[in-house]
């Protein structure tokens, strides 16, 4: 290990090698505080060539690397091993935007560029990068690509897999995969770009990505509707889809989740005056300033109320109110943490099956664990919800260690039985690795392990994550 660190220092200089414990400390724990590792050094290359040098030296010395961007993984995917056998490879210094083109609707960003900075750069060019999430002020585009991140606009624009037009990455021998050309058609065999997206840093280090842009939003409107159940919410989504293509956000929120936010998050207010068991947040946008998405929302929600799909609804009167509606949605996890221990599941099932899954699986979990509270919120339109189970009256000092694993096992069994996925947008990391082993098809696991062995024969990339 020390020989490797010295070799890196000699090759690319002291600035790229951090060994001071205080400087490394903040990057040893995952965003949720569930996983903690050790690392004798954190390497911070300034460009792709320095990444190549580091990877080549790591292969030569047999030292594993843990690629890290904003360290916002929800599954411990960027946390080094506990025994300190790996070093952190931080891409945060590589935060430049080599090119952006409004004509081509493309931007090329280095892996360490923060998502909110990309948003600002796209806006300055009259364009938009249509992916956003709560950690946009700290997550990086390389990490987003490596985890195939989703967010609140997947309904209209898809995940990172759809938004990444090309990838540049350093492979295990220090060579470079240069796929940044963003070709519409390219049939030269296996698509390494797509293989790297979602690979969680286990087969290569993403150093830059070419990203698809869309026209900037000229005007938007946000609506809030109270509905009887998730089935009514899905009928409302289909109702909108038959009448407009302007909806890009459609979020399902349980009444108890809203109550937690109102109770724990200062400054929040209920959008509707009455009580409703379920709620839907709807965002519509237009690139043309002459369009009126607010009027469209009002018209369609009015028709839905007449048809009995909606109990009550309101439209944001201004941008501040629109942000207030979204703040409720974005604060649910924070409110749950304030309420007590919660085990979170980022799952997906076929869209048509999701409403029944939410209702029936909540009932099954609460019957199996009396006193616990199961609830779901999130992206109903793309079949992905965050299925959370709160300790409720079962709360105790060891609930997370003693009962949460059994809760998760049951939830995942229900997801697989419904034909779904135990990881919709957060990845596998180390948190879900054992569950992937338990539930994935043997052929799929064998194929992933074969790919890992072929592209990372010495096992130097992100040990202990995804598959070993």
């Amino acid at each position: 290990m020390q020989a490797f660190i010295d070799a890196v220092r000699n090759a690319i200089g002291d600035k790229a090698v951090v060994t001071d414990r205080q400087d490394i400390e903040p990057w040893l724990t995952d965003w949720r505080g569930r996983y903690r590792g050790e690392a004798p050094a954190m390497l911070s290359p300034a460009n792709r060539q320095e990444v190549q040098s580091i990877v080549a030296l790591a292969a030569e010395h047999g030292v594993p690397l843990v690629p890290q961007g904003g360290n916002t993984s929800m599954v411990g995917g960027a946390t080094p091993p506990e025994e300190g056998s790996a070093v952190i490879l931080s891409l945060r210094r590589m935060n430049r935007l080599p090119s952006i083109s409004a004509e081509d609707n493309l931007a090329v960003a280095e892996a360490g560029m923060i998502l909110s900075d990309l948003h600002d750069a796209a806006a300055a060019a009259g364009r938009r990068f249509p992916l956003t999430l709560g950690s946009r002020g700290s997550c990086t585009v390389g990490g987003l690509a490596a985890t195939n991140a989703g967010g609140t606009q997947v309904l209209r624009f898809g995940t990172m897999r759809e938004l990444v037009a090309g990838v540049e990455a350093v492979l295990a021998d220090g060579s470079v995969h240069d796929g940044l050309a963003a070709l519409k058609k390219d049939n030269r065999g296996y698509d390494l770009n797509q293989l790297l997206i979602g690979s969680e840093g286990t087969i290569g280090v993403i150093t830059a990505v070419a990203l698809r842009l869309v026209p900037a939003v000229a005007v938007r409107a946000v609506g809030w509707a109270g509905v009887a159940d998730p089935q009514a919410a899905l009928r409302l989504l289909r109702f909108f889809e038959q009448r407009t293509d302007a909806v890009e956000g459609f979020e399902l929120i349980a009444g108890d989740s809203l109550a937690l936010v109102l109770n724990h998050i200062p400054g929040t207010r209920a959008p509707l005056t009455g009580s409703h068991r379920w709620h839907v947040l709807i965002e519509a946008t237009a690139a043309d300033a002459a369009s009126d998405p607010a009027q469209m929302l009002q018209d369609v929600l009015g028709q839905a109320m007449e048809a009995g799909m909606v109990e009550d609804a309101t439209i944001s009167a201004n941008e501040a109110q629109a942000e207030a509606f979204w703040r409720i949605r974005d604060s649910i996890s924070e409110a749950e943490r304030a309420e007590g221990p919660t085990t979170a599941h980022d799952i997906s099932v076929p869209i048509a099956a999701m409403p029944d899954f939410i209702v029936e699986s909540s009932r099954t979990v609460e019957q199996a664990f009396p006193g616990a509270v199961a609830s779901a919120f999130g992206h109903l339109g793309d079949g992905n919800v965050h299925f959370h189970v709160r300790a409720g009256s079962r709360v105790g000092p060891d609930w997370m260690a003693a009962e949460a694993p059994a809760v998760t096992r049951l939830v995942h069994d229900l997801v697989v039985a419904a034909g779904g996925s135990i990881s919709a947008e957060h990845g596998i990391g180390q948190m879900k690795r054992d569950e992937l082993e338990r539930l994935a098809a043997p052929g799929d696991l064998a194929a992933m392990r074969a790919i890992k062995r072929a592209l990372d024969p010495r096992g130097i990339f992100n040990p202990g994550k995804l598959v070993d």
Side-chain angles (χ1 to χ4, degrees):
M1 176 67 76
Q2 189 58 52
F4 165 68
I5 294 172
D6 291 342
V8 172
R9 184 178 281 111
N10 291 334
I12 60 178
D14 289 338
K15 190 173 183 180
V17 182
V18 179
T19 56
D20 185 274
R21 175 70 183 190
Q22 287 187 322
D23 293 333
I24 300 174
E25 179 73 26
W27 309 103
L28 297 175
T29 305
D30 76 304
W31 184 77
R32 284 181 166 179
R34 293 187 178 182
Y35 298 96
R36 179 175 177 79
E38 292 294 335
M42 181 170 67
L43 308 180
S44 301
N47 52 53
R48 187 197 71 194
Q49 290 75 22
E50 292 187 358
V51 175
Q52 287 181 263
S53 297
I54 290 169
V55 171
L57 289 168
E60 177 184 337
H61 290 80
V63 173
L65 303 170
V66 178
Q68 192 179 94
N71 197 30
T72 58
S73 172
M74 303 288 280
V75 291
T79 306
E82 293 180 356
E83 71 276 10
S85 59
V87 300
I88 296 171
L89 178 59
S90 170
L91 281 301
R92 286 181 290 276
R93 286 179 66 200
M94 296 175 57
N95 58 7
R96 294 171 288 271
L97 189 72
S99 67
I100 185 167
S101 170
E103 290 185 357
D104 294 331
N105 280 321
L106 284 173
V108 174
E110 289 186 330
M113 187 167 206
I114 292 173
L115 178 58
S116 60
D117 292 338
L118 174 63
H119 287 163
D120 292 342
R127 291 296 184 264
R128 174 171 61 128
F129 180 61
L131 183 145
T132 190
L133 30 77
S135 61
R136 56 188 173 271
S138 52
C139 66
T140 61
V141 295
L144 294 171
T147 58
N148 187 30
T152 57
Q153 296 159 308
V154 171
L155 177 65
R156 188 172 182 184
F157 298 105
T159 63
M160 281 293 283
R161 195 173 296 282
E162 286 74 38
L163 294 171
V164 172
V167 175
E168 176 190 85
V170 175
L171 305 179
D173 61 355
S175 63
V176 174
H177 163 65
D178 185 357
L180 292 177
L183 300 173
K184 278 284 189 179
K185 292 185 176 181
D186 184 1
N187 281 325
R188 293 174 291 178
Y190 303 123
D191 191 338
L192 292 182
N193 287 340
Q194 289 298 317
L195 192 58
L196 287 158
I197 298 169
S199 65
E200 302 187 33
T202 60
I203 59 173
V205 179
I206 293 176
T207 51
V209 286
L211 299 164
R212 306 185 197 280
L213 306 178
V214 299
V217 171
V219 59
R220 74 162 178 165
V222 178
W224 189 287
V227 296
D229 49 41
Q231 291 84 352
L234 183 57
R235 288 195 297 273
L236 179 61
L237 173 61
R238 299 303 184 222
F239 195 74
F240 268 98
E241 290 174 339
Q242 292 168 0
R243 288 157 177 79
T244 180
D245 61 358
V247 172
E248 64 178 59
F250 194 94
E251 299 287 303
L252 179 68
I253 300 167
D256 67 319
S257 295
L258 172 61
L260 288 179
V261 171
L262 299 179
N263 187 40
H264 292 292
I265 308 300
T268 55
R269 297 178 56 188
L272 304 175
T273 56
S275 176
H276 306 276
R277 294 187 62 190
W278 292 88
H279 301 258
V280 174
L281 183 154
I282 311 157
E283 176 162 308
T285 65
D288 179 4
S291 299
D292 191 351
Q295 186 62 52
M296 181 276 294
L297 284 180
Q298 182 173 320
D299 292 343
V300 178
L301 284 171
Q303 297 168 27
M305 289 183 69
E306 292 178 3
M309 277 181 279
V310 171
E311 297 172 343
D312 194 11
T314 187
I315 311 295
S316 58
N318 49 49
E319 187 64 18
Q321 193 172 54
E323 286 297 313
F325 288 176
W326 272 109
R327 186 184 178 212
I328 293 172
R329 159 62 181 87
D330 291 340
S331 299
I332 293 174
S333 292
E334 179 185 350
E336 286 181 333
R337 287 194 295 271
E339 182 73 6
T342 298
T343 180
H345 311 95
D346 160 46
I347 58 96
S348 63
V349 301
I351 296 172
M354 181 58 83
D356 289 343
F357 175 86
I358 291 172
V359 174
E360 295 168 7
S361 295
S362 295
R363 184 183 304 119
T364 298
V365 170
E366 290 177 353
Q367 288 174 348
F369 299 90
V373 180
S375 186
F377 65 94
H379 328 303
L380 178 64
D382 51 66
N384 166 211
V385 298
H386 304 287
F387 192 95
H388 291 187
V389 181
R390 304 195 297 275
S393 62
R394 299 176 72 90
V395 68
D398 60 347
W399 186 82
M400 289 300 294
E403 292 198 337
V407 171
T408 292
R409 189 180 182 95
L410 174 57
V411 171
H412 287 170
D413 286 341
L414 293 169
V415 169
V416 171
S421 168
I422 65 171
S423 178
E425 61 179 358
H426 292 161
I428 297 297
Q430 57 184 300
M431 186 174 81
K432 297 183 181 180
R433 191 185 60 188
D434 291 344
E435 284 291 85
L436 182 68
E437 171 78 22
R438 182 174 74 88
L439 296 168
D444 292 348
L445 282 174
M448 285 193 284
R449 288 186 173 124
I451 292 168
K452 170 70 172 175
R453 287 193 299 270
L455 295 181
D456 183 19
R458 300 200 63 179
I460 64 169
F461 287 143
N462 215 6
K465 316 305 191 313
L466 191 53
V467 291
D468 272 341

